[in-house]
Amino acid sequence: MEQTEEKIFKAKKYNAKIFPIYKMFSWDLLFYYSISFLFLTQIKGFSASNVLFLDAIYTIFKFLSQIPSINIAETIGKRKSIIISNIFVALSIFILLFTQEMWHAVVSFAFMGFGYSLKTLCDPIFLRDCITAKEHPGTAFADLDGKGTAYWYAFDAITAISCGFIFVFNSYLPMILCFAMCIISCIFAFKFKPYENPHKKEKLEESGSYIQYFKDLRSAFKNIFHSHRLKALFLFSGTFAALLAIRSTIASSLFTEIGLKEEYFGIIFAVLTLFSAVATRFQNFFHKRLKNRVLTYFSLAFSLSLIVIGFVSLFSKNFSFTICVVFAMYAIQYIIKGPYYTLIKRYLNSFTTSTMVTKIYSVNTLVESLCSSVMCLFASMLLDFTTTPYAVTILGLIFLIVFIFILDYMKDKIGLKPEEYDKTDINFTEVR
């Protein structure tokens, strides 16, 4: 027994050690975002509205995949689920390379949605399970997750610098390199060592009751939604995810409309990504300095930056001035985006157990996917009727108003001391 426990401990320690490197390749697509809009519009012949519609397909499939993802993760284990998720992401890029019609792209983004649904659920829980530090496990989680995120941002910045020039040289080469990064992610996923209890799957199979499984899952969700704290976090997280979902496509569309050359797309996105990389390493600084106001500053600053981008793009006639202001506002957004992902997971992790965190992450991803898909569809329709600068201004105003109401709702539910919370806010059970 002691030998088994020692083996599991070593496996967890090894997994935690290589997790930041794994995340550097796998957290999100590399060689992709700075040229994906150009690839889909110029090479595949889709419109900006079509691209946002595909983004909606991606988020819709993330939403639809959430409940099956929980079942998969709890049946076959998180390590195997991570392997499957990376394979599906790789397949989505492979299909996109050969896409000729819209339905091909829909299949690609559907595969991507399922892959990232499973991945978003399992990656942070896998890391949480593998934290061996007995003291301050939340800080250890944030440090390792933040390190991996910072590595990804730094690597993404390096790849993005050359991406625009590579695209001009060969429009398919960046996507081929993106696919190669996905393959490397799969290899790292296979390198993780098994650490989970093999009897967990057997218990579910022996009971033969998937009906009971879903009853238990529904009861767990019901208990989660009794927490005013978690409901407030879900509401904020879903709205912020909707904001982030349209950011990349809207930015690329705006750069195209104001006349930025294709080869400079990668350089601008690379520099912006560096801001995220540096900011991510300071996520503990943001957490300690801004305390319970961090989400307030992040959401309001992000929304106001969109409004400024929209107004300057609409009314400025000076190209250099427009580029400088737009770049500065996007820099603010990327500085916020970097630490946000780690901090929101840290807040969702608080006051919970390793068994309940799976459900909490799943509910959060459900809310994020639903909000993101609605916003992508809305932005897609908006771009059918107006130009990108007008769309950015309208979206910025909408998000500013919505966040003001959300923050007012959150003020007595988030950032309290443990003794100030009601028991239903921080104590959860699997079933009743």
Coordinates of all heavy atoms in Angstrom, one line a residue, residues 274-352:
L274 N 2.9 39.5 -25.7 CA 4.0 39.7 -24.7 C 3.5 40.4 -23.5 O 3.9 40.1 -22.3 CB 5.2 40.4 -25.3 CG 6.1 39.6 -26.2 CD1 7.2 40.5 -26.8 CD2 6.8 38.5 -25.3
F275 N 2.6 41.4 -23.7 CA 2.0 42.1 -22.6 C 1.2 41.1 -21.7 O 1.3 41.1 -20.5 CB 1.0 43.2 -23.1 CG 1.7 44.4 -23.5 CD1 1.6 44.8 -24.9 CD2 2.3 45.2 -22.7 CE1 2.2 45.9 -25.3 CE2 3.0 46.4 -23.1 CZ 2.9 46.8 -24.4
S276 N 0.5 40.1 -22.3 CA -0.2 39.1 -21.6 C 0.7 38.2 -20.8 O 0.5 37.8 -19.7 CB -1.1 38.3 -22.5 OG -2.2 39.0 -22.9
A277 N 1.8 37.8 -21.5 CA 2.8 36.9 -20.8 C 3.4 37.6 -19.6 O 3.5 36.9 -18.5 CB 3.9 36.6 -21.8
V278 N 3.8 38.8 -19.6 CA 4.3 39.5 -18.5 C 3.3 39.7 -17.4 O 3.5 39.4 -16.2 CB 4.9 40.9 -18.9 CG1 5.4 41.7 -17.7 CG2 6.1 40.7 -19.9
A279 N 2.1 40.1 -17.8 CA 1.0 40.3 -16.8 C 0.6 39.0 -16.1 O 0.3 39.1 -14.9 CB -0.2 40.9 -17.5
T280 N 0.6 37.9 -16.8 CA 0.3 36.6 -16.2 C 1.2 36.3 -15.1 O 0.8 35.7 -14.1 CB 0.3 35.5 -17.3 OG1 -0.6 35.8 -18.3 CG2 -0.1 34.2 -16.7
R281 N 2.5 36.6 -15.2 CA 3.4 36.3 -14.2 C 3.2 37.1 -12.9 O 3.7 36.8 -11.8 CB 4.9 36.5 -14.7 CG 5.3 35.6 -15.8 CD 5.3 34.1 -15.4 NE 6.3 33.8 -14.4 CZ 6.2 32.9 -13.5 NH1 5.2 32.1 -13.5 NH2 7.2 32.6 -12.7
F282 N 2.4 38.2 -13.1 CA 2.1 39.1 -11.9 C 0.7 38.9 -11.4 O 0.1 39.8 -10.8 CB 2.3 40.5 -12.3 CG 3.8 40.9 -12.5 CD1 4.4 40.8 -13.7 CD2 4.5 41.3 -11.3 CE1 5.8 41.2 -13.8 CE2 5.9 41.7 -11.5 CZ 6.5 41.6 -12.7
Q283 N 0.1 37.7 -11.7 CA -1.3 37.5 -11.3 C -1.5 37.6 -9.8 O -2.5 38.1 -9.3 CB -1.8 36.2 -11.9 CG -1.0 34.9 -11.7 CD -1.2 34.3 -10.3 OE1 -2.2 34.5 -9.7 NE2 -0.3 33.4 -9.9
N284 N -0.4 37.1 -9.0 CA -0.5 37.3 -7.6 C -0.5 38.7 -7.1 O -1.1 39.1 -6.1 CB 0.6 36.5 -6.9 CG 0.2 35.1 -6.5 OD1 -0.9 34.8 -6.2 ND2 1.1 34.1 -6.7
F285 N 0.3 39.5 -7.9 CA 0.4 41.0 -7.6 C -1.0 41.6 -7.8 O -1.5 42.4 -6.9 CB 1.4 41.7 -8.5 CG 1.3 43.1 -8.5 CD1 1.9 43.9 -7.5 CD2 0.6 43.8 -9.5 CE1 1.8 45.3 -7.5 CE2 0.6 45.2 -9.5 CZ 1.2 45.9 -8.5
F286 N -1.7 41.3 -8.9 CA -3.0 41.8 -9.1 C -4.0 41.4 -8.0 O -4.8 42.2 -7.5 CB -3.6 41.4 -10.5 CG -3.0 42.1 -11.6 CD1 -2.0 41.4 -12.5 CD2 -3.3 43.4 -11.9 CE1 -1.5 42.1 -13.5 CE2 -2.7 44.0 -13.0 CZ -1.8 43.4 -13.8
H287 N -3.9 40.1 -7.6 CA -4.7 39.5 -6.6 C -4.5 40.2 -5.3 O -5.5 40.6 -4.6 CB -4.5 38.0 -6.5 CG -5.2 37.4 -5.4 ND1 -6.6 37.2 -5.4 CD2 -4.8 36.8 -4.2 CE1 -7.0 36.6 -4.3 NE2 -5.9 36.4 -3.5
K288 N -3.3 40.4 -4.9 CA -3.0 41.0 -3.6 C -3.2 42.6 -3.6 O -3.7 43.1 -2.6 CB -1.6 40.7 -3.2 CG -1.4 39.2 -2.9 CD 0.1 38.9 -2.5 CE 0.3 37.5 -2.3 NZ 1.8 37.1 -2.0
R289 N -2.9 43.2 -4.7 CA -3.0 44.7 -4.7 C -4.4 45.1 -4.9 O -4.9 46.1 -4.2 CB -2.1 45.2 -5.9 CG -2.0 46.7 -5.9 CD -1.2 47.2 -4.8 NE -1.2 48.7 -4.8 CZ -0.1 49.4 -5.4 NH1 0.9 48.7 -5.9 NH2 -0.1 50.7 -5.4
L290 N -5.2 44.5 -5.8 CA -6.5 45.0 -6.1 C -7.6 44.2 -5.2 O -8.7 44.7 -5.1 CB -6.9 44.7 -7.5 CG -6.0 45.5 -8.5 CD1 -6.4 45.2 -10.0 CD2 -6.0 47.0 -8.3
K291 N -7.2 43.1 -4.6 CA -8.0 42.3 -3.7 C -9.4 42.0 -4.3 O -9.5 41.6 -5.5 CB -8.1 43.0 -2.4 CG -6.7 43.1 -1.7 CD -6.8 43.8 -0.4 CE -5.4 43.9 0.3 NZ -5.4 44.6 1.5
N292 N -10.5 42.4 -3.6 CA -11.8 42.0 -4.1 C -12.3 43.0 -5.2 O -13.4 42.9 -5.6 CB -12.8 41.9 -3.0 CG -12.9 43.3 -2.2 OD1 -12.1 44.2 -2.4 ND2 -14.0 43.4 -1.4
R293 N -11.5 43.9 -5.6 CA -11.8 44.8 -6.7 C -11.2 44.5 -8.0 O -11.4 45.2 -9.0 CB -11.4 46.3 -6.3 CG -12.1 46.8 -5.1 CD -11.4 48.1 -4.6 NE -10.0 47.8 -4.2 CZ -9.1 48.7 -4.0 NH1 -9.4 50.0 -4.1 NH2 -7.8 48.4 -3.6
V294 N -10.5 43.4 -8.1 CA -9.8 43.0 -9.3 C -10.7 42.8 -10.5 O -10.5 43.3 -11.6 CB -8.9 41.8 -9.1 CG1 -9.7 40.5 -8.8 CG2 -8.0 41.5 -10.3
L295 N -11.8 42.1 -10.3 CA -12.8 41.9 -11.4 C -13.5 43.1 -11.8 O -13.8 43.3 -13.0 CB -13.8 40.8 -10.9 CG -13.3 39.4 -10.6 CD1 -14.4 38.5 -10.2 CD2 -12.5 38.8 -11.8
T296 N -13.7 44.1 -10.9 CA -14.3 45.4 -11.2 C -13.4 46.1 -12.1 O -13.8 46.6 -13.2 CB -14.5 46.2 -9.9 OG1 -15.4 45.5 -9.1 CG2 -15.1 47.5 -10.3
Y297 N -12.1 46.3 -11.8 CA -11.1 47.0 -12.6 C -11.0 46.3 -14.0 O -10.9 47.0 -15.0 CB -9.8 47.1 -11.9 CG -9.7 48.1 -10.8 CD1 -9.5 47.7 -9.5 CD2 -9.9 49.5 -11.1 CE1 -9.5 48.7 -8.5 CE2 -9.8 50.4 -10.1 CZ -9.6 50.0 -8.8 OH -9.6 50.9 -7.8
F298 N -10.9 45.0 -14.0 CA -10.7 44.3 -15.2 C -11.9 44.5 -16.2 O -11.7 44.8 -17.4 CB -10.5 42.8 -15.0 CG -9.1 42.4 -14.5 CD1 -8.2 43.3 -14.2 CD2 -8.8 41.0 -14.4 CE1 -6.9 43.0 -13.8 CE2 -7.5 40.7 -14.0 CZ -6.6 41.6 -13.7
S299 N -13.1 44.3 -15.7 CA -14.2 44.4 -16.6 C -14.5 45.8 -17.1 O -14.8 46.0 -18.3 CB -15.5 43.9 -15.9 OG -15.7 44.6 -14.7
L300 N -14.4 46.8 -16.2 CA -14.7 48.2 -16.7 C -13.6 48.7 -17.6 O -13.9 49.4 -18.6 CB -14.8 49.1 -15.4 CG -16.0 48.8 -14.5 CD1 -16.1 49.8 -13.4 CD2 -17.3 48.8 -15.3
A301 N -12.3 48.4 -17.3 CA -11.3 48.9 -18.2 C -11.4 48.2 -19.6 O -11.1 48.9 -20.6 CB -9.9 48.5 -17.5
F302 N -11.7 46.9 -19.6 CA -11.8 46.2 -20.9 C -13.0 46.8 -21.7 O -12.8 47.1 -22.9 CB -12.1 44.8 -20.6 CG -11.6 43.8 -21.7 CD1 -10.6 42.9 -21.4 CD2 -12.1 43.9 -23.0 CE1 -10.1 42.0 -22.4 CE2 -11.7 43.0 -24.0 CZ -10.7 42.1 -23.7
S303 N -14.1 47.1 -21.1 CA -15.2 47.7 -21.8 C -15.0 49.1 -22.3 O -15.3 49.4 -23.5 CB -16.5 47.7 -20.9 OG -16.8 46.4 -20.4
L304 N -14.3 49.9 -21.5 CA -14.0 51.3 -21.9 C -13.0 51.3 -23.0 O -13.1 52.2 -23.9 CB -13.5 52.1 -20.7 CG -14.5 52.4 -19.6 CD1 -13.9 53.0 -18.3 CD2 -15.5 53.5 -20.2
S305 N -12.1 50.4 -23.0 CA -11.1 50.3 -24.1 C -11.7 50.0 -25.4 O -11.3 50.6 -26.5 CB -10.0 49.2 -23.8 OG -10.5 47.9 -23.9
L306 N -12.8 49.2 -25.4 CA -13.5 48.9 -26.7 C -14.2 50.2 -27.2 O -14.2 50.5 -28.4 CB -14.6 47.8 -26.4 CG -14.2 46.4 -26.5 CD1 -15.4 45.5 -26.1 CD2 -13.6 46.0 -27.8
I307 N -14.8 51.0 -26.3 CA -15.5 52.2 -26.7 C -14.5 53.2 -27.3 O -14.7 53.8 -28.3 CB -16.2 52.8 -25.5 CG1 -17.3 51.9 -25.0 CG2 -16.7 54.2 -25.8 CD1 -17.9 52.3 -23.6
V308 N -13.3 53.3 -26.7 CA -12.2 54.2 -27.2 C -11.8 53.8 -28.6 O -11.6 54.6 -29.5 CB -11.1 54.3 -26.2 CG1 -9.9 55.1 -26.8 CG2 -11.5 54.9 -24.9
I309 N -11.6 52.4 -28.7 CA -11.2 51.9 -30.0 C -12.2 52.2 -31.1 O -11.9 52.7 -32.2 CB -11.0 50.4 -29.9 CG1 -9.7 50.0 -29.2 CG2 -10.9 49.7 -31.3 CD1 -9.6 48.5 -28.8
G310 N -13.5 52.1 -30.8 CA -14.5 52.3 -31.7 C -14.6 53.8 -32.1 O -14.7 54.1 -33.3
F311 N -14.5 54.7 -31.1 CA -14.6 56.1 -31.4 C -13.4 56.6 -32.2 O -13.6 57.4 -33.2 CB -14.7 56.9 -30.1 CG -16.1 57.1 -29.6 CD1 -16.6 56.4 -28.6 CD2 -17.0 58.0 -30.3 CE1 -17.9 56.5 -28.1 CE2 -18.3 58.2 -29.8 CZ -18.8 57.4 -28.7
V312 N -12.2 56.2 -31.9 CA -11.0 56.6 -32.6 C -11.1 56.1 -34.0 O -10.7 56.8 -35.0 CB -9.8 56.2 -31.9 CG1 -8.5 56.4 -32.7 CG2 -9.6 56.9 -30.5
S313 N -11.5 54.9 -34.2 CA -11.5 54.3 -35.6 C -12.6 55.0 -36.4 O -12.4 55.1 -37.6 CB -11.9 52.8 -35.5 OG -10.9 52.1 -34.7
L314 N -13.6 55.5 -35.8 CA -14.7 56.1 -36.5 C -14.3 57.6 -36.9 O -14.6 58.0 -38.1 CB -16.0 56.2 -35.7 CG -16.8 54.9 -35.6 CD1 -17.9 55.0 -34.6 CD2 -17.4 54.6 -37.0
F315 N -13.7 58.3 -36.0 CA -13.6 59.7 -36.2 C -12.2 60.2 -36.5 O -12.0 61.4 -37.0 CB -14.1 60.5 -35.0 CG -15.6 60.2 -34.7 CD1 -15.9 59.5 -33.6 CD2 -16.6 60.6 -35.6 CE1 -17.3 59.2 -33.4 CE2 -17.9 60.3 -35.4 CZ -18.3 59.6 -34.2
S316 N -11.2 59.4 -36.3 CA -9.8 59.9 -36.6 C -9.5 59.7 -38.0 O -9.7 58.6 -38.6 CB -8.8 59.1 -35.7 OG -7.5 59.4 -36.1
K317 N -8.9 60.7 -38.6 CA -8.5 60.6 -40.1 C -7.0 60.4 -40.2 O -6.5 60.2 -41.3 CB -8.9 61.9 -40.8 CG -10.4 62.3 -40.7 CD -11.2 61.2 -41.3 CE -12.7 61.6 -41.2 NZ -13.6 60.5 -41.7
N318 N -6.3 60.4 -39.1 CA -4.8 60.2 -39.1 C -4.5 58.7 -38.8 O -4.8 58.2 -37.7 CB -4.2 61.1 -38.0 CG -2.7 61.1 -38.1 OD1 -2.0 60.0 -38.1 ND2 -2.1 62.2 -38.3
F319 N -3.9 58.0 -39.8 CA -3.7 56.6 -39.7 C -2.8 56.3 -38.6 O -3.0 55.4 -37.8 CB -3.1 56.1 -41.0 CG -2.8 54.6 -41.0 CD1 -3.7 53.6 -41.1 CD2 -1.4 54.2 -40.8 CE1 -3.4 52.3 -41.1 CE2 -1.1 52.9 -40.8 CZ -2.1 51.9 -40.9
S320 N -1.7 57.0 -38.4 CA -0.7 56.8 -37.4 C -1.3 56.9 -36.0 O -1.1 56.1 -35.1 CB 0.5 57.7 -37.5 OG 1.2 57.5 -38.8
F321 N -2.1 58.0 -35.8 CA -2.7 58.3 -34.5 C -3.7 57.1 -34.2 O -3.8 56.6 -33.1 CB -3.4 59.6 -34.5 CG -4.2 59.9 -33.3 CD1 -3.6 60.3 -32.1 CD2 -5.6 59.7 -33.3 CE1 -4.4 60.5 -31.0 CE2 -6.4 60.0 -32.2 CZ -5.7 60.4 -31.0
T322 N -4.5 56.7 -35.2 CA -5.4 55.7 -35.0 C -4.8 54.4 -34.6 O -5.2 53.7 -33.6 CB -6.2 55.4 -36.3 OG1 -6.9 56.6 -36.7 CG2 -7.3 54.3 -36.1
I323 N -3.7 54.0 -35.3 CA -3.0 52.8 -35.0 C -2.4 52.8 -33.5 O -2.5 51.8 -32.8 CB -1.9 52.5 -36.0 CG1 -2.4 52.0 -37.3 CG2 -0.9 51.5 -35.4 CD1 -3.1 50.7 -37.3
C324 N -1.8 54.0 -33.2 CA -1.2 54.1 -31.8 C -2.3 53.9 -30.7 O -2.1 53.2 -29.7 CB -0.5 55.4 -31.7 SG 1.0 55.5 -32.7
V325 N -3.4 54.6 -30.9 CA -4.5 54.6 -29.9 C -5.1 53.2 -29.8 O -5.3 52.6 -28.7 CB -5.6 55.6 -30.1 CG1 -6.7 55.5 -29.1 CG2 -5.0 57.0 -30.0
V326 N -5.4 52.6 -31.0 CA -6.0 51.3 -31.0 C -5.0 50.2 -30.4 O -5.4 49.4 -29.6 CB -6.3 50.9 -32.5 CG1 -6.7 49.4 -32.6 CG2 -7.5 51.7 -33.0
F327 N -3.7 50.4 -30.7 CA -2.7 49.4 -30.1 C -2.7 49.6 -28.6 O -2.6 48.6 -27.9 CB -1.4 49.7 -30.7 CG -0.3 48.9 -30.2 CD1 -0.1 47.6 -30.6 CD2 0.6 49.4 -29.1 CE1 0.9 46.8 -30.0 CE2 1.5 48.6 -28.6 CZ 1.7 47.3 -29.0
A328 N -2.7 50.8 -28.1 CA -2.6 51.1 -26.7 C -3.8 50.4 -26.0 O -3.7 49.8 -24.9 CB -2.6 52.6 -26.4
M329 N -5.0 50.6 -26.6 CA -6.2 50.0 -26.0 C -6.2 48.5 -26.0 O -6.6 47.8 -25.0 CB -7.5 50.5 -26.7 CG -7.8 52.0 -26.5 SD -8.0 52.5 -24.8 CE -6.4 53.3 -24.4
Y330 N -5.7 47.9 -27.1 CA -5.6 46.5 -27.1 C -4.6 46.0 -26.2 O -4.7 44.9 -25.6 CB -5.3 46.0 -28.6 CG -6.5 45.8 -29.4 CD1 -6.7 46.5 -30.6 CD2 -7.6 45.0 -29.0 CE1 -7.8 46.4 -31.4 CE2 -8.7 44.9 -29.8 CZ -8.9 45.6 -31.0 OH -10.0 45.5 -31.7
A331 N -3.5 46.8 -25.9 CA -2.5 46.4 -24.9 C -3.1 46.3 -23.5 O -2.8 45.3 -22.8 CB -1.4 47.4 -24.9
I332 N -4.0 47.2 -23.2 CA -4.8 47.1 -21.9 C -5.6 45.8 -21.8 O -5.6 45.1 -20.8 CB -5.7 48.4 -21.8 CG1 -4.8 49.6 -21.6 CG2 -6.6 48.2 -20.6 CD1 -5.7 50.9 -21.6
Q333 N -6.2 45.5 -22.9 CA -7.0 44.3 -23.0 C -6.2 43.0 -22.8 O -6.6 42.1 -22.0 CB -7.8 44.2 -24.3 CG -8.9 45.2 -24.5 CD -9.6 45.1 -25.8 OE1 -9.5 44.0 -26.5 NE2 -10.4 46.1 -26.2
Y334 N -5.0 43.0 -23.4 CA -4.2 41.8 -23.3 C -3.5 41.7 -21.9 O -3.3 40.6 -21.4 CB -3.1 41.8 -24.4 CG -3.6 41.2 -25.7 CD1 -4.5 41.8 -26.5 CD2 -3.1 39.9 -26.1 CE1 -4.9 41.2 -27.7 CE2 -3.5 39.3 -27.2 CZ -4.5 40.0 -28.0 OH -4.9 39.4 -29.2
I335 N -3.2 42.9 -21.3 CA -2.7 42.9 -19.9 C -3.7 42.3 -19.0 O -3.4 41.6 -18.0 CB -2.3 44.3 -19.5 CG1 -1.0 44.7 -20.3 CG2 -2.1 44.4 -18.0 CD1 -0.7 46.2 -20.1
I336 N -5.0 42.6 -19.2 CA -6.1 42.1 -18.4 C -6.3 40.6 -18.6 O -6.5 39.8 -17.7 CB -7.4 42.9 -18.6 CG1 -7.3 44.4 -18.1 CG2 -8.6 42.2 -18.0 CD1 -8.4 45.3 -18.6
K337 N -6.3 40.3 -19.9 CA -6.6 38.9 -20.3 C -5.6 37.9 -19.7 O -6.0 36.8 -19.3 CB -6.6 38.8 -21.8 CG -6.9 37.4 -22.3 CD -7.0 37.4 -23.8 CE -5.7 37.5 -24.5 NZ -5.0 36.1 -24.7
G338 N -4.3 38.3 -19.6 CA -3.3 37.4 -19.1 C -3.6 36.8 -17.7 O -3.8 35.6 -17.5
P339 N -3.7 37.7 -16.7 CA -3.9 37.1 -15.3 C -5.3 36.7 -15.1 O -5.6 35.9 -14.2 CB -3.5 38.3 -14.4 CG -3.7 39.5 -15.2 CD -3.4 39.1 -16.6
Y340 N -6.3 37.2 -15.9 CA -7.7 36.9 -15.6 C -8.0 35.4 -15.6 O -8.7 34.9 -14.7 CB -8.6 37.6 -16.7 CG -10.0 37.1 -16.6 CD1 -10.9 37.5 -15.6 CD2 -10.5 36.1 -17.5 CE1 -12.2 37.1 -15.5 CE2 -11.8 35.6 -17.4 CZ -12.7 36.1 -16.4 OH -13.9 35.6 -16.3
Y341 N -7.5 34.7 -16.6 CA -7.8 33.2 -16.7 C -7.3 32.5 -15.5 O -8.1 31.6 -15.0 CB -7.1 32.6 -18.0 CG -7.7 33.0 -19.3 CD1 -7.0 33.7 -20.2 CD2 -9.0 32.6 -19.6 CE1 -7.6 34.1 -21.4 CE2 -9.6 32.9 -20.8 CZ -8.9 33.6 -21.7 OH -9.5 34.0 -22.9
T342 N -6.2 32.8 -15.0 CA -5.7 32.1 -13.8 C -6.5 32.5 -12.5 O -6.8 31.7 -11.7 CB -4.2 32.4 -13.5 OG1 -3.4 31.8 -14.6 CG2 -3.7 31.7 -12.3
L343 N -6.8 33.8 -12.4 CA -7.5 34.3 -11.2 C -8.9 33.8 -11.1 O -9.4 33.4 -10.0 CB -7.5 35.8 -11.2 CG -6.1 36.5 -10.9 CD1 -6.2 38.0 -11.1 CD2 -5.6 36.1 -9.5
I344 N -9.6 33.7 -12.3 CA -11.0 33.3 -12.2 C -11.0 31.8 -11.8 O -11.9 31.3 -11.1 CB -11.7 33.5 -13.5 CG1 -13.2 33.4 -13.3 CG2 -11.2 32.6 -14.6 CD1 -13.9 34.4 -12.5
K345 N -10.1 31.0 -12.3 CA -10.0 29.6 -11.9 C -9.6 29.5 -10.4 O -10.2 28.6 -9.7 CB -8.9 28.8 -12.7 CG -9.4 28.4 -14.1 CD -8.4 27.6 -14.8 CE -7.3 28.5 -15.4 NZ -6.4 27.7 -16.3
R346 N -8.8 30.4 -9.9 CA -8.4 30.4 -8.5 C -9.7 30.7 -7.6 O -9.9 30.0 -6.6 CB -7.4 31.5 -8.2 CG -6.9 31.6 -6.8 CD -5.8 32.5 -6.7 NE -5.3 32.6 -5.3 CZ -4.1 33.1 -5.0 NH1 -3.3 33.6 -5.9 NH2 -3.7 33.1 -3.7
Y347 N -10.5 31.6 -8.0 CA -11.7 32.0 -7.3 C -12.7 30.8 -7.3 O -13.4 30.5 -6.3 CB -12.3 33.2 -7.8 CG -11.4 34.4 -7.8 CD1 -11.5 35.5 -8.7 CD2 -10.4 34.5 -6.8 CE1 -10.7 36.6 -8.6 CE2 -9.5 35.6 -6.8 CZ -9.7 36.6 -7.7 OH -8.8 37.7 -7.6
L348 N -12.9 30.1 -8.5 CA -13.8 29.0 -8.6 C -13.3 27.8 -7.8 O -14.1 27.0 -7.3 CB -13.9 28.6 -10.0 CG -14.7 29.6 -11.0 CD1 -14.5 29.2 -12.4 CD2 -16.2 29.6 -10.6
N349 N -12.0 27.7 -7.6 CA -11.4 26.6 -6.8 C -11.6 26.8 -5.3 O -11.5 25.8 -4.6 CB -9.8 26.6 -7.0 CG -9.4 25.6 -8.0 OD1 -10.0 24.6 -8.2 ND2 -8.3 25.9 -8.8
S350 N -11.8 28.0 -4.9 CA -11.9 28.3 -3.4 C -13.1 27.6 -2.8 O -14.2 27.5 -3.4 CB -12.0 29.8 -3.2 OG -10.9 30.4 -3.7
F351 N -12.9 27.2 -1.5 CA -14.0 26.6 -0.7 C -14.7 25.4 -1.3 O -15.9 25.2 -1.3 CB -15.1 27.7 -0.4 CG -14.6 29.0 0.1 CD1 -14.7 30.1 -0.7 CD2 -14.0 29.1 1.3 CE1 -14.3 31.3 -0.2 CE2 -13.5 30.3 1.8 CZ -13.6 31.4 1.0
T352 N -13.9 24.5 -2.0 CA -14.5 23.3 -2.6 C -13.6 22.1 -2.5 O -12.5 22.2 -2.0 CB -14.8 23.6 -4.1 OG1 -15.6 22.5 -4.6 CG2 -13.6 23.8 -4.9

